[in-house]
Amino acid sequence: MKLTSKGRYAVMALVDLAKFNSINPVSLRDISLRQGISLDYLEQIFSKLRKKEIVQSVRGIQGGYVLNKKAKEIKLTNIFDAVDEKVKTVQCKKESKKGCNGRSSKCLTHDLWDELENHINNFFEKKSLEDLIKDNFERRI
Amino acid sequence: MKLTSKGRYAVMALVDLAKFNSINPVSLRDISLRQGISLDYLEQIFSKLRKKEIVQSVRGIQGGYVLNKKAKEIKLTNIFDAVDEKVKTVQCKKESKKGCNGRSSKCLTHDLWDELENHINNFFEKKSLEDLIKDNFERRI
DNA sequence: TATAAACCTGACTAATTTAGTCAAGTATAT
DNA sequence: ATATACTTGACTAAATTAGTCAGGTTTATA
Ligand code: FES
Ligand code: FES
């Protein structure tokens, strides 16, 4: 089970954005340089974040992105959802009555994986961008 | 983040094994048929489980595998560890002082991913094979 | 003692996914 | 005007996964 770079970068970039989110929009170029993430890749990521209304874009010179909500209201769940970083523990379609391996019913471990998926998603639902900035700030005192 | 088939199958197969683990060893052929997992793939998986002393093999006709410990003492952690299904949330080497993207220090979100990794591993450390069989039994009453 | 069931091992491969790159735009402050 | 910065879509190399395949070796039992 591993976290992909897309998800990791999305959160990294938003923490960066939130930290520098004073009055001016933050350009992807700056985030790219500060966090060492490819600019082209960031563009893909922010395009998705914008579509899900997590950030707002400001075009032209001095442009960039700003948060579209309060940091407190942006949960990891929202971020991951926006960039399609989903937690997937089962192979079977969840809605379907069929099990994995094309079986006619759910397998012996299906409930376990469901439980695991919830356990992980809980973590994401609890953590907000604000929490992350705070942690980050406190660590630096 | 997704769970791979190898990990899912390893647990599935062991639950099956534990359920039929009366006196006789259980053959991979039987597990393969009951759970719909490729026999060749199961062989790879059980080879690893045996090396980590989670199961014991009995060769020859009427052979198969038996649990090498009590179901209570086999945790998901042990199973996943045996088949190299590891939880990996960070990109950087954990021991190293360097961060991801080859940076000189840990990134803004490193602590978060560490926390996530622990959160997931906790789940695996708590669940034993016995728990799984029990759940499975109770559901069928 | 021949045979078949079952474990054992290593190499190979197709398909998928990831982690980007690249190219060609459009909008806007100065 | 022009440079900065967002916007979009297509493309690709590398890595990983989920197996398959081809050979073994061991041992109960007829
Ligand atoms: S994981 Fe859902 S049926 Fe196996
Ligand atoms: S995840 Fe460890 S430094 Fe970024």
Side-chain angles (χ1 to χ4, degrees):
Chain A
M1 298 204 80
K2 64 173 177 248
L3 187 68
T4 66
S5 289
K6 183 143 60 182
R8 199 183 308 107
Y9 289 168
V11 177
M12 251 167 108
L14 282 175
V15 172
D16 180 292
L17 177 56
K19 274 180 70 177
F20 291 85
N21 190 32
S22 42
I23 313 145
N24 305 313
V26 180
S27 76
L28 293 190
R29 155 166 284 271
D30 286 353
I31 297 180
S32 164
L33 290 172
R34 279 194 295 257
Q35 306 305 329
I37 304 170
S38 140
L39 178 58
D40 282 319
Y41 206 16
L42 276 177
E43 265 159 3
Q44 281 184 45
I45 292 170
F46 273 78
S47 162
K48 295 183 180 202
L49 292 172
R50 185 174 55 80
K51 277 174 194 150
K52 291 287 172 123
E53 298 176 328
I54 290 172
V55 296
Q56 255 192 340
S57 69
V58 180
R59 300 186 74 153
I61 260 175
Q62 298 274 36
Y65 288 92
V66 286
L67 290 185
N68 198 23
K69 299 175 189 178
K70 284 182 190 144
K72 198 185 202 165
E73 278 147 27
I74 302 174
K75 308 289 185 188
L76 284 199
T77 305
N78 308 130
I79 302 173
F80 281 173
D81 178 58
V83 300
D84 309 307
E85 171 87 34
K86 26 183 175 279
V87 178
K88 204 179 169 225
T89 56
V90 297
Q91 192 156 35
C92 60
K93 294 249 174 284
K94 273 207 159 182
E95 322 75 47
S96 141
K97 289 258 161 72
K98 288 200 173 178
C100 47
N101 296 333
R103 289 318 190 65
S104 59
S105 64
K106 300 294 184 188
C107 77
L108 288 175
T109 47
H110 181 91
D111 289 355
L112 172 67
W113 308 128
D114 251 7
E115 205 184 322
L116 170 59
E117 202 164 304
N118 289 335
H119 186 251
I120 298 176
N121 282 326
N122 269 346
F123 183 91
F124 295 147
E125 270 152 33
K126 276 196 205 110
K127 285 275 174 192
S128 75
L129 209 49
E130 190 182 58
D131 298 334
L132 301 183
I133 302 165
K134 249 193 230 156
D135 285 359
N136 211 261
F137 179 68
E138 276 159 15
R139 227 189 330 142
R140 256 148 248 284
I141 290 176
Chain B
M1 300 204 80
K2 66 175 176 244
L3 186 68
T4 67
S5 288
K6 182 140 64 181
R8 200 183 307 108
Y9 288 169
V11 178
M12 251 167 108
L14 282 175
V15 172
D16 179 292
L17 177 57
K19 274 180 70 177
F20 290 86
N21 189 33
S22 42
I23 313 146
N24 306 313
V26 180
S27 76
L28 293 189
R29 154 165 283 271
D30 286 353
I31 297 180
S32 165
L33 290 172
R34 279 194 294 258
Q35 307 304 330
I37 304 169
S38 139
L39 178 57
D40 282 319
Y41 205 18
L42 276 177
E43 263 159 5
Q44 281 185 44
I45 291 170
F46 273 77
S47 161
K48 296 185 179 199
L49 292 173
R50 184 174 56 79
K51 276 173 195 152
K52 292 288 172 126
E53 298 176 325
I54 291 172
V55 296
Q56 255 191 340
S57 70
V58 180
R59 299 186 73 152
I61 259 176
Q62 299 274 38
Y65 287 92
V66 287
L67 290 184
N68 199 22
K69 300 175 188 176
K70 285 181 190 144
K72 199 185 201 162
E73 278 147 27
I74 302 173
K75 308 289 185 189
L76 283 200
T77 305
N78 308 130
I79 302 173
F80 280 174
D81 178 58
V83 300
D84 310 305
E85 170 87 34
K86 23 183 177 282
V87 178
K88 206 181 168 221
T89 57
V90 296
Q91 193 156 35
C92 59
K93 295 249 175 282
K94 272 205 160 184
E95 322 75 47
S96 141
K97 289 259 162 72
K98 288 199 173 177
C100 47
N101 297 332
R103 290 316 190 68
S104 59
S105 65
K106 300 294 184 188
C107 77
L108 288 176
T109 47
H110 182 91
D111 290 355
L112 172 68
W113 309 130
D114 251 7
E115 205 184 322
L116 170 60
E117 202 163 305
N118 289 336
H119 186 252
I120 298 176
N121 282 327
N122 268 346
F123 183 90
F124 295 147
E125 269 152 33
K126 277 196 204 110
K127 286 275 174 192
S128 75
L129 209 49
E130 191 183 57
D131 298 334
L132 301 184
I133 302 165
K134 249 193 228 154
D135 286 357
N136 211 261
F137 179 69
E138 276 159 15
R139 225 189 330 142
R140 256 147 249 282
I141 289 178

